Amino acid sequence: WLAEHMLILGIENPQGDITYVAAAFPSACGKTNLAMLVPPAAFKGWKVWTVGDDIAWLHPGPDGRLYAINPEAGFFGVAPGTSYKTNPNCMATLGRNAIYTNVALTPDNKPWWEGIDDPEPAGLIDWQGRPYDRKNGPAAHPNSRFTVAASQCPSYSEKANAPEGVPISAIIFGGRRSTVAPLVYEALDWEHGVFTGASVASETTAAAVGQVGQVRRDPMAMKPFCGYNFADYWAHWESMAGRASHLPKVFHVNWFRKDADGRFMWPGYGDNMRVLKWIVERCAGRAAAHPTPVGNVPHAEDIDLYGLDLKRSTLDALLAIDPEIWAREVEEIGQYFAGFGERVPESLRRQVARIKAELARQRAA
């Protein structure tokens, strides 16, 4: 088994075919939003079904595929920033039978947080029980939370409680990186996919411990949860190649790339469906990509932008791989792996060496 910090969702196309994916993101990288995504209006006929938003247990099935189950009965998410704009299904789920911690309270005893749709009311009580004063910081704690029964979610999947789980076609890793990672890329194979997960990093936010904005390695988004040596954990991931004959494809996404002025380049939220569509079509062998040392990256025309006002130059920048930046990144990844000593799987060192060599050739060309 793989016991992972992952969401599970089903992506249904207009023909009624459902592709199940699991995805792992460090805290405050949009995992709950993705788990309950509502496709943009331009994607008529597409649907997203929520199997789980936080934990996935994956095991090889009799057909050689990995199957995932969600052992949880509810959702546990960060409140600030959650709204009908960012996550309408989540807001609909929170309409009743919910528990909140460290949020602010309105005069009529309703929860309130920064980023919610309702404007800041007069007479607000902050998360410490004081009359709200901006000088004291935010009204709701930046890591304030909600928990609610998953069955209340409008996108809750009928497969959520299937004892056999759902077959996983893709595993998606992601992090909050302002410059390094492109919008999406596909790992070359399972070995490279394990490397992709093991090298996940994210710029910290208030939802994570430590200084805001610092790059923090968070392999498979499991740093707060992995109960044994990461090198042995990566080896266990590698061992799945001998246990399952039809392993999922592995992808990495980054919704948080910024331009030279520090502005987010990708709209995110429901428009992340456009990236999911490419992932689904790659799994089905219908979408194109071009190889890079980092992985297979879509051509700009492979991302469906129908109904979205996004300049081609912006999309090109979102998909760009900068050899100089990646040379530094891979050097840092190698140093991080070295910290785990001889127990690190040789396959991870092999991937570091391969990417370094390919980047060097690219830079020399």
Side-chain angles (χ1 to χ4, degrees), residues 178-348:
S178 57
T179 59
V180 178
L183 179 62
V184 60
Y185 64 88
E186 175 193 12
L188 305 178
D189 51 31
W190 183 252
E191 179 181 300
H192 182 221
V194 176
F195 168 87
T196 299
S199 59
V200 164
S202 194
E203 292 160 15
T204 56
T205 70
V209 175
Q211 283 187 294
V212 173
Q214 299 297 307
V215 175
R216 178 177 183 256
R217 294 285 161 196
D218 194 347
M220 283 79 169
M222 283 286 284
K223 191 177 183 70
F225 311 111
C226 188
Y228 61 108
N229 189 295
F230 258 131
D232 298 336
Y233 168 78
W234 297 327
H236 182 57
W237 266 79
E238 287 282 5
S239 74
M240 288 294 154
R243 305 183 191 195
S245 56
H246 300 291
L247 287 165
K249 287 180 174 291
V250 179
F251 298 84
H252 186 283
V253 299
N254 177 25
W255 319 130
F256 302 98
R257 197 152 176 173
K258 294 180 179 179
D259 62 18
D261 296 320
R263 295 173 299 198
F264 289 117
M265 301 165 69
W266 181 249
Y269 306 120
D271 284 306
N272 293 338
M273 181 70 224
R274 302 172 189 278
V275 175
L276 293 181
K277 180 183 177 184
W278 179 78
I279 288 173
V280 166
E281 292 183 342
R282 282 295 289 176
C283 292
R286 294 192 296 265
H290 67 94
T292 76
V294 174
N296 296 322
V297 177
H299 306 279
E301 58 269 21
D302 298 324
I303 302 296
D304 187 346
L305 297 184
Y306 179 70
L308 178 63
D309 183 16
L310 188 74
K311 292 180 180 179
R312 171 61 184 263
S313 59
T314 301
L315 184 56
D316 287 340
L318 280 162
L319 296 173
I321 302 286
D322 186 318
E324 296 293 335
I325 291 176
W326 270 96
R328 294 193 295 271
E329 177 74 5
V330 176
E331 183 65 32
E332 291 175 8
I333 292 170
Q335 292 171 5
Y336 178 71
F337 288 163
F340 293 90
E342 294 303 314
R343 294 166 78 161
V344 173
E346 181 58 34
S347 58
L348 296 185

Side-chain angles (χ1 to χ4, degrees), residues 36 79 81-96 100 111 113 115-118 146 152-154:
M36 305 179 205
T82 303
S83 68
Y84 279 100
K85 177 185 176 182
T86 62
N87 196 336
N89 275 333
C90 184
M91 292 299 290
T93 305
L94 292 173
R96 64 194 189 283
Y100 300 90
W113 53 80
I116 199 171
D117 303 272
D118 299 329
F146 58 78
Q152 294 183 186
C153 182

Side-chain angles (χ1 to χ4, degrees), residues 133-155:
D133 186 333
R134 277 191 174 82
K135 292 183 292 186
N136 293 328
H141 190 282
N143 199 24
S144 55
R145 299 276 178 158
F146 58 78
T147 187
V148 64
S151 57
Q152 294 183 186
C153 182
S155 59

Side-chain angles (χ1 to χ4, degrees), residues 15-216:
Q15 291 73 45
D17 302 318
I18 301 178
T19 302
Y20 291 96
V21 307
F25 299 86
S27 185
C29 288
K31 185 156 65 79
T32 300
N33 290 344
L34 187 64
M36 305 179 205
L37 184 144
V38 176
F43 274 58
K44 295 188 185 301
W46 288 85
K47 300 174 184 176
V48 169
W49 299 105
T50 308
V51 179
D53 83 320
D54 194 45
I55 296 177
W57 292 348
L58 300 98
H59 65 99
D63 59 359
R65 295 185 290 177
L66 283 187
Y67 282 72
I69 64 171
N70 168 27
E72 295 185 304
F75 301 138
F76 179 61
V78 176
T82 303
S83 68
Y84 279 100
K85 177 185 176 182
T86 62
N87 196 336
N89 275 333
C90 184
M91 292 299 290
T93 305
L94 292 173
R96 64 194 189 283
N97 304 323
I99 299 171
Y100 300 90
T101 59
N102 296 330
V103 296
L105 200 63
T106 67
D108 53 352
N109 289 322
K110 292 181 180 178
W112 190 92
W113 53 80
E114 281 75 12
I116 199 171
D117 303 272
D118 299 329
E120 178 190 316
L124 193 64
I125 301 298
D126 75 10
W127 68 278
Q128 296 184 73
R130 305 170 300 186
Y132 175 53
D133 186 333
R134 277 191 174 82
K135 292 183 292 186
N136 293 328
H141 190 282
N143 199 24
S144 55
R145 299 276 178 158
F146 58 78
T147 187
V148 64
S151 57
Q152 294 183 186
C153 182
S155 59
Y156 191 57
S157 171
E158 63 179 16
K159 294 287 189 179
N161 292 310
E164 70 279 10
V166 294
I168 299 299
S169 296
I171 292 174
I172 304 170
F173 295 110
R176 180 181 287 263
R177 303 302 299 270
S178 57
T179 59
V180 178
L183 179 62
V184 60
Y185 64 88
E186 175 193 12
L188 305 178
D189 51 31
W190 183 252
E191 179 181 300
H192 182 221
V194 176
F195 168 87
T196 299
S199 59
V200 164
S202 194
E203 292 160 15
T204 56
T205 70
V209 175
Q211 283 187 294
V212 173
Q214 299 297 307
V215 175
R216 178 177 183 256

